[in-house]
Amino acid sequence: MTASNPSRELAGLPVDSRYWPVGRHHEVLKRSLSDIEGFWTDVASQLSWQRQWDQTLQWDPPFAKWFVGGMLNASHNCVDRHADSQRKDKIAYLWEGEPGDRRVMTYGELYNEVNTFAATLQDLGLRRGDRITLYMPMVPEFPIALLAASRIGAIFTVVFSGFSAAALSGRINDSGSKMLITADGSYRRGKIIPLKDIADEALRSSPSIEKVIVYKRLEKETELQRGRDVWWHDAVQGKSHFVPPEPLDASHPLFILYTSGTTGKPKGAVHSTGGYLTYVYATQKWVFDIRPEDVYWCTADIGWITGHSYVVFGPLAHGATSIMYEGTPDYPSTERWWEIIERYKATILYTTPTAIRSLMRSGDDLPRRHDLTSLRLLGTVGEPINPAAWEWYFDVIGGKRSPIVDTWWQTETGGILISASPNLGLVPLKPGSATFPLPGIDAEIVNEDGKPVQNGEKGFLVIRKPWPGMFMTLYNDSERYKQVYWNRFQDMYYPGDYAVKDADGYFWLLGRADEVLKVSGHRLGTIEVEDALVGHPAVTEAAVAGRADSVKGEGIIVFVTLKPDYKPSDALRQELREKVRNTIGPIATPDEIYFTGSLPKTRSGKIMRRVVKAVASGIEIGDITTLEDESSVEEVQKAMATFTRQIE
Ligand code: PRX
């Protein structure tokens, strides 16, 4: 215990030093990097293994294999370990549906459900190594299904329930899934999303699916296709027996999760069983300081990596109690989250800057009406947080008692790489900085030549050593894995983010260095949106750029050129908007669509993205030198002037 806490001193933050001893973060980081293998051996030993590994790391750049020869099962680690202990009656999930219905599930109950559903999957023909897609609402059956699949060694791939039929079908086809789990529908802002209807549409072009299990969430007429579809509640009848957790190689894929990149085709990040589980277990403890008495709430949907790692596998590996909520933060009012925190006495809240900014707009009165004093730790993820939102979160939600962990990571990294660690000893916090790399993470900021930048210059974030949570490859595309992540800088992982280190060595993440947008924290490739637009018969060419948005972080601005027979109109604009929603999903809905005579191009015919971005952002011609591009400033200025005239 230390008398003074620099967190308090540095930003004038009255963080209670009884809970947040200062200090070991740097020491543990240094020690871990001097003996990576020894360090991760100690961490992995805290999980339950069916066979001890022979080799901690086999590093054949850029392919890493962790815990070679070791065998384990994720569902055994997340469920059986607790159900077989005094934690049997401990609550795993406190669930609340959007309409207000509630369920409580203990580890003992979770164990029974997971076994029953694993037996059901086996009975329906799913085997080790088979792929299974999930397109589910946030109900307890979602984690149950993931755990059941992992219990029998099937590889799951989750598609966020806000994605369109086309996006769902594309992911099913790429993964070659033979089974789909979905629901008749889900609630969102009081409306019904007909998930099964969307799935039916997707399945018209996804012939690999042999069976569909449909969870009944609504009172809604739903058609089942004979021989293919079965209700969840019918399928599980008479299956309540123990299914032994399959011993799996540490590098057996636990899941594939698709994410956006710089081409139209999403990338399937393949995560291992042993490395991934070790990493989420470790970071759940370091970052969230998870303790037996905590009531922990990560608000992410399981459809994203944050939900995989910190709603399902991280907290369950620790036998923690989590809140799970089906709906949006603003339904029926923006008081909903504060009610939930008060009702369940949540101690940890982990959410996105977008959610914080949008709740902040409703003012301080709503959160102040509720007792939020149970909170002891706050977190953010997915995008940079602006100091004003940070201060509001700290003052109004955390009551100036709770530190904020700003966590930087990605779908590919499996778990958090850069964050403060209350468990190891909290470093002084700076609003907007994710602070320091976690133990085992060798992060640096480099220039174009891959050399560490000097004097706090802006550069590219890289990770110089493998870590267990690192994805193993891209599904069916190891070449693209090498190309995208490892070719830019020799033997260094390139995440695609800009960053700077300040004079105290703090990391500040500055957003994407590539053609990837972060819209409400969701990751979207500009080219994905452009591909959707050129799929419309009226469109010749499209260019998409992000523009700073005070709530969503980034908004989507679109420029299109039309085929000669088409004229710009509001009706066409609406059609194009619909086209994007139907091709990708509502998260990709453009904020603004501009019709233009032509797009700015280089002499070789490449769209000048720098110009498109500058025009979208309303940047003055004089300021465009701050945008990255290879083309000359003069050329860019000329293109920008012409382009701006055209769209006005
Ligand atoms: O640009 C970074 C941003 O989100 C990207 C990863 O997106 P995704 O794979 O969807 O994963 C999001 C949830 C882990 C990163 O390349 N990002 C994530 N966290 C932060 C962030 N940017 C700034 N600060 C963060 N804390």
Side-chain angles (χ1 to χ4, degrees):
M1 204 183 294
T2 37
S4 84
N5 185 329
S7 302
R8 189 196 310 223
E9 288 157 17
L10 192 107
L13 311 177
V15 173
D16 192 330
S17 58
R18 278 172 308 165
Y19 295 124
W20 314 110
V22 175
R24 286 173 55 242
H25 190 145
H26 295 298
E27 180 197 317
V28 181
L29 172 58
K30 203 163 150 212
R31 181 161 52 81
S32 68
L33 295 181
S34 69
D35 176 18
I36 284 273
E37 296 191 28
F39 179 77
W40 289 115
T41 297
D42 288 348
V43 177
S45 304
Q46 294 167 41
L47 294 177
S48 164
W49 293 78
Q50 286 148 310
R51 184 184 185 280
Q52 177 67 26
W53 57 94
D54 309 310
Q55 191 184 355
T56 303
L57 170 64
Q58 199 181 80
W59 180 220
D60 178 14
F63 298 97
K65 271 195 177 161
W66 285 91
F67 313 115
V68 182
M71 295 190 123
L72 79 170
N73 184 284
S75 126
H76 170 76
N77 273 280
C78 291
V79 185
D80 303 32
R81 281 212 295 175
H82 315 303
D84 291 342
S85 76
Q86 81 278 15
R87 285 191 293 278
K88 179 170 181 286
D89 296 321
K90 187 177 176 188
I91 294 168
Y93 288 111
L94 290 157
W95 178 84
E96 197 164 305
E98 193 182 79
D101 41 344
R102 295 179 201 166
R103 286 165 68 186
V104 171
M105 185 163 292
T106 64
Y107 276 94
E109 288 161 346
L110 184 63
Y111 172 87
N112 291 337
E113 299 282 345
V114 168
N115 274 284
T116 300
F117 200 61
T120 308
L121 293 176
Q122 278 180 332
D123 192 55
L124 291 172
L126 198 72
R127 297 286 173 265
R128 173 197 186 118
D130 287 344
R131 273 80 60 217
I132 175 169
T133 296
L134 290 99
Y135 188 61
M136 290 282 280
M138 283 288 282
V139 291
E141 281 66 20
F142 200 165
I144 289 168
L146 300 188
L147 293 160
S150 69
R151 193 170 189 89
I152 63 173
I155 302 163
F156 62 82
T157 180
V158 175
V159 180
F160 171 58
S161 61
F163 275 121
S164 67
L168 172 60
S169 167
R171 286 154 174 78
I172 291 173
N173 295 345
D174 193 82
S175 63
S177 286
K178 74 190 249 196
M179 207 179 273
L180 172 70
I181 306 181
T182 187
D184 49 356
S186 73
Y187 295 100
R188 196 169 170 82
R189 269 198 200 95
K191 293 209 188 91
I192 277 171
I193 303 194
L195 294 178
K196 174 63 164 57
D197 297 347
I198 302 171
D200 280 340
E201 193 187 328
L203 293 187
R204 282 201 273 280
S205 37
S206 290
S208 62
I209 296 289
E210 295 166 13
K211 289 275 175 233
V212 181
I213 303 176
V214 187
Y215 176 71
K216 189 164 175 51
R217 171 74 185 114
L218 311 171
E219 294 307 320
K220 174 180 178 293
E221 279 291 310
T222 298
E223 248 178 65
L224 297 192
Q225 185 176 308
R226 195 186 290 269
R228 188 193 70 181
D229 304 350
V230 55
W231 284 115
W232 176 301
H233 55 264
D234 288 336
V236 297
Q237 287 303 321
K239 307 278 181 346
S240 54
H241 55 267
F242 174 70
V243 175
E246 184 94 14
L248 300 167
D249 266 345
S251 52
H252 180 82
L254 178 63
F255 64 89
I256 305 166
L257 184 57
Y258 287 87
T259 188
S260 296
T262 50
T263 72
K265 190 171 174 284
K267 305 176 285 191
V270 183
H271 280 282
S272 71
T273 303
Y276 173 81
L277 205 63
T278 300
Y279 198 70
V280 295
Y281 177 84
T283 49
Q284 183 76 44
K285 184 157 139 200
W286 294 333
V287 177
F288 300 108
D289 183 46
I290 198 85
R291 302 175 194 179
E293 65 278 13
D294 272 318
V295 177
Y296 159 86
W297 188 16
C298 166
T299 65
D301 191 291
I302 296 173
W304 308 107
I305 189 69
T306 309
H308 283 53
S309 301
Y310 300 111
V311 175
V312 184
F313 293 98
L316 293 182
H318 283 274
T321 297
S322 287
I323 295 173
M324 188 173 165
Y325 169 58
E326 181 186 33
T328 58
D330 55 354
Y331 188 82
S333 82
T334 43
E335 237 170 316
R336 189 67 189 261
W337 278 14
W338 318 133
E339 281 167 14
I340 292 177
I341 291 169
E342 182 173 30
R343 177 152 46 250
Y344 301 108
K345 299 195 169 28
T347 56
I348 304 172
L349 176 66
Y350 185 37
T351 191
T352 60
T354 291
I356 297 163
R357 287 188 294 258
S358 78
L359 291 167
M360 186 175 149
R361 284 209 304 191
S362 305
D364 301 0
D365 286 356
L366 296 181
R368 291 221 154 103
R369 268 193 227 162
H370 298 275
D371 179 5
L372 307 180
T373 55
S374 54
L375 288 171
R376 69 174 182 93
L377 177 59
L378 305 174
T380 70
V381 59
E383 40 175 338
I385 182 161
N386 49 310
W390 197 102
E391 299 286 354
W392 185 81
Y393 197 30
F394 184 79
D395 290 353
V396 181
I397 306 309
K400 302 188 180 179
R401 292 175 320 276
S402 317
I404 298 177
V405 285
D406 176 345
T407 64
W408 179 89
W409 59 298
Q410 309 179 294
T411 304
E412 294 88 338
T413 69
I416 300 162
L417 298 198
I418 303 181
S419 168
S421 168
N423 180 267
L424 297 170
L426 194 66
V427 295
L429 302 174
K430 300 190 188 189
S433 166
T435 75
F436 296 97
L438 288 173
I441 303 305
D442 187 9
E444 190 46 276
I445 298 171
V446 298
N447 62 20
E448 289 283 354
D449 304 324
K451 302 270 182 318
V453 295
Q454 303 299 320
N455 312 323
E457 280 166 53
K458 175 176 165 181
F460 304 98
L461 180 68
V462 291
I463 315 292
R464 299 185 294 197
K465 286 192 174 69
W467 67 98
M470 185 174 117
F471 65 141
M472 295 191 295
T473 188
L474 291 178
Y475 192 65
N476 281 337
D477 208 347
S478 294
E479 266 318 300
R480 193 174 174 199
Y481 167 77
K482 287 191 212 164
Q483 198 64 35
V484 173
Y485 302 100
W486 299 92
N487 263 14
R488 177 91 190 235
F489 304 111
Q490 176 84 31
D491 288 350
M492 295 192 258
Y493 171 72
Y494 170 59
D497 274 39
Y498 285 125
V500 293
K501 247 196 277 185
D502 69 15
D504 300 321
Y506 280 65
F507 283 73
W508 298 74
L509 284 310
L510 304 176
R512 301 289 308 191
D514 55 7
E515 289 305 318
V516 167
L517 306 178
K518 279 274 146 165
V519 181
S520 301
H522 301 319
R523 183 164 157 185
L524 282 171
T526 51
I527 298 175
E528 255 177 298
V529 183
E530 289 165 5
D531 281 358
L533 288 158
V534 296
H536 188 283
V539 176
T540 312
E541 271 188 315
V544 168
R547 181 176 68 199
D549 182 286
S550 62
V551 175
K552 298 194 293 185
E554 265 184 310
I556 302 176
I557 312 298
V558 167
F559 302 96
V560 286
T561 61
L562 296 178
K563 294 200 180 132
D565 308 349
Y566 291 86
K567 294 261 166 318
S569 69
D570 280 345
L572 182 55
R573 205 172 261 127
Q574 192 49 37
E575 262 185 52
L576 295 178
R577 207 166 263 135
E578 281 307 310
K579 177 73 190 168
V580 176
R581 290 171 68 92
N582 292 337
T583 312
I584 304 173
I587 54 167
T589 310
D591 291 84
E592 283 165 32
I593 299 179
Y594 295 102
F595 298 107
T596 167
S598 63
L599 290 168
K601 301 233 177 94
T602 59
R603 264 171 254 121
S604 59
K606 255 178 75 183
I607 292 179
M608 292 170 99
R609 298 200 156 270
R610 179 184 198 185
V611 170
V612 174
K613 203 167 169 182
V615 173
S617 305
I619 290 181
E620 293 292 319
I621 291 196
D623 295 342
I624 56 171
T625 44
T626 56
L627 295 165
E628 318 295 317
D629 200 278
E630 286 98 43
S631 28
S632 80
V633 174
E634 202 184 321
E635 197 183 344
V636 170
Q637 282 180 331
K638 219 170 102 203
M640 184 156 155
T642 324
F643 182 42
T644 312
R645 260 198 317 277
Q646 277 183 42
I647 61 163
E648 273 165 357

